[in-house]
Amino acid sequence: MSLTFTPLHPVLAAECAGVDIGEPITARTADEIEDAMDRYAVLVFRRGTPLTTEQQLAFTKSLGELEPPYRKIQPEEGVRLDNPALSDISNLAPGDKILPRDDRKRLFAIIGNQLWHSDSSYKTIPARYSALCAHVIPPEGGDTEFADMRAAWDTLEPRLKEKVKDLVTEHSRIFSKGALGFNFTEQELKDFAPVRQPLVRIHPGSGRHSLFLSSHAGRIVGWPVPEALMLLRELTEHATQRELVYRHKWRVGDLVMWDNQATMHRVRSFDDMKYPRDLRRTTLTTGAPAIPMSKQGGARQHAEDQHSGAITTATQ
Ligand code: OGA
Ligand code: MN
């Protein structure tokens, strides 16, 4: 059987058929999927039945190395999924109860994920692919949107390209959650110390330039803060204009995989006090800092690299 890729949008995203991702895939199939990711940046696999944890891990691992588990926000009610390699992207507590309104995990993930972001941009080693599998979806709302950051670069005015091409930004959950009014403990302020990322990346697979934006970006090195925030806002507005955004309407059993090096994403609101929404994510690492450790600056040195076999809880 051969793979087919049917575009879902003029700029990015395609539906992949002709492969059962619940079965082991060959190296050749993996290559074809990676080539398609370089082209479309978002792939949708519609299989009708959610992958088991083992299937999702096996499929993701056939495309690269998993991001190490990470823990910083402890859910008050404990961890719902047993495998730390799987991120729980749900509004559920253990026992599948809907999280209460003021639950910190809810506010971090369900509310926080409504901000445009690139997964793990607040880590020195940012994420490569994220693969999200739908187990339970609400009857309305909760779509996920993807913006093409290569098209964002391509369509940027030349004067802005010139202005941003060598800039370095600082990313932290302090900036993204802080914009939503979160307060942090002293320990969290240390744990979430900003990391540096280039504002423009060249994609290793496609060779295309892309803007590296994320709601976690909150500073530009060497710039006054208001000017930095205004430029980041201007670029984000440009990058997320409707023409450059694919909106995914979920069906149970969909697996959507996106390249964090080429896209930003966000979930749209849904009535999360009423409806359960259960998606599970595996994440591949880019394997190396986008800015070398020696150029990360002081704050980061001691907090790095938080991956101590702990459990992933609230994730973006
Ligand atoms: C994620 C994420 C959005 C969603 O899994 O990284 O941001 O639609 N999810 O749940
Ligand atoms: Mn995310």
Side-chain angles (χ1 to χ4, degrees):
M1 202 158 46
S2 67
L3 295 179
T4 59
F5 299 97
T6 309
L8 294 167
H9 181 277
V11 176
L12 76 168
E15 178 171 344
C16 176
V19 58
D20 181 358
I21 59 169
E23 296 292 327
I25 60 169
T26 62
R28 177 147 174 240
T29 299
D31 284 348
E32 283 183 52
I33 291 174
E34 288 183 64
D35 286 349
M37 285 293 282
D38 288 346
R39 177 159 176 200
Y40 297 108
V42 178
L43 289 182
V44 174
F45 301 84
R46 297 210 123 127
R47 52 189 318 276
T49 317
L51 294 171
T52 64
T53 300
E54 292 66 35
Q55 286 173 319
Q56 186 168 344
L57 284 172
F59 172 66
T60 322
K61 279 186 190 163
S62 56
L63 298 170
E65 191 192 334
L66 289 181
E67 190 173 64
Y70 180 94
R71 172 177 56 194
K72 285 298 169 245
I73 300 298
Q74 283 298 348
E76 280 154 34
E77 310 188 37
V79 175
R80 192 175 67 97
L81 304 179
D82 51 1
N83 194 320
L86 210 57
S87 298
D88 182 4
I89 310 294
S90 80
N91 59 337
L92 304 173
D96 291 351
K97 279 194 314 248
I98 289 189
L99 291 171
R101 191 161 186 190
D102 59 359
D103 181 275
R104 216 157 182 252
K105 179 187 170 213
R106 167 182 184 264
L107 295 172
F108 238 75
I110 305 302
I111 304 300
N113 275 351
Q114 294 177 44
L115 294 173
W116 285 107
H117 64 280
S118 174
D119 289 332
S120 301
S121 75
Y122 53 82
K123 299 180 189 170
T124 49
I125 303 180
R128 185 173 167 241
Y129 300 166
S130 294
L132 191 60
C133 184
H135 290 245
V136 178
I137 52 166
E140 54 190 355
D143 297 346
T144 306
E145 292 184 328
F146 298 91
D148 191 323
M149 306 306 287
R150 308 159 305 176
W153 169 263
D154 292 345
T155 56
L156 201 61
E157 287 172 60
R159 85 182 165 84
L160 283 174
K161 280 186 174 157
E162 191 52 38
K163 187 168 182 175
V164 305
K165 66 181 175 30
D166 297 319
L167 295 178
V168 173
T169 53
E170 292 189 347
H171 293 230
S172 165
R173 291 159 127 186
I174 295 168
F175 301 138
S176 47
K177 310 307 176 194
L180 293 180
F182 268 89
N183 294 314
F184 298 95
T185 63
E186 282 299 312
Q187 187 58 44
E188 284 171 339
L189 290 174
K190 283 191 192 137
D191 292 340
F192 298 164
V195 304
R196 291 186 176 177
Q197 305 290 8
L199 185 47
V200 180
R201 291 193 277 191
I202 296 181
H203 192 279
S206 66
R208 293 181 66 183
H209 285 71
S210 68
L211 285 180
F212 191 1
L213 294 171
S214 188
S215 58
H216 305 305
R219 299 285 183 271
I220 294 174
V221 174
W223 278 43
V225 175
E227 191 178 354
L229 290 177
M230 201 58 243
L231 177 63
L232 292 170
R233 191 180 290 199
E234 180 181 17
L235 295 173
T236 302
E237 281 181 14
H238 166 75
T240 57
Q241 58 186 288
R242 298 318 304 172
E243 290 72 22
L244 308 184
V245 172
Y246 164 67
R247 181 173 186 133
H248 186 69
K249 293 195 178 301
W250 291 93
R251 292 186 211 151
V252 169
D254 287 355
L255 181 124
V256 178
M257 185 162 72
W258 62 88
D259 187 346
N260 288 292
Q261 301 170 109
T263 56
M264 278 203 291
H265 61 280
R266 66 172 177 182
V267 63
R268 302 320 311 269
S269 70
F270 67 104
D271 191 347
D272 76 285
M273 293 284 87
K274 185 164 167 198
Y275 300 122
R277 183 175 187 271
D278 181 356
L279 295 96
R280 300 174 188 190
R281 196 184 88 198
T282 39
T283 317
L284 295 181
T285 177
T286 53
I291 301 240
M293 285 309 294
S294 58
K295 298 200 174 140
Q296 280 294 334
R300 199 61 218 158
Q301 303 301 348
H302 85 107
E304 206 57 28
D305 214 355
Q306 327 92 344
H307 317 125
S308 53
I311 312 288
T312 305
T313 56
T315 327
Q316 284 204 5

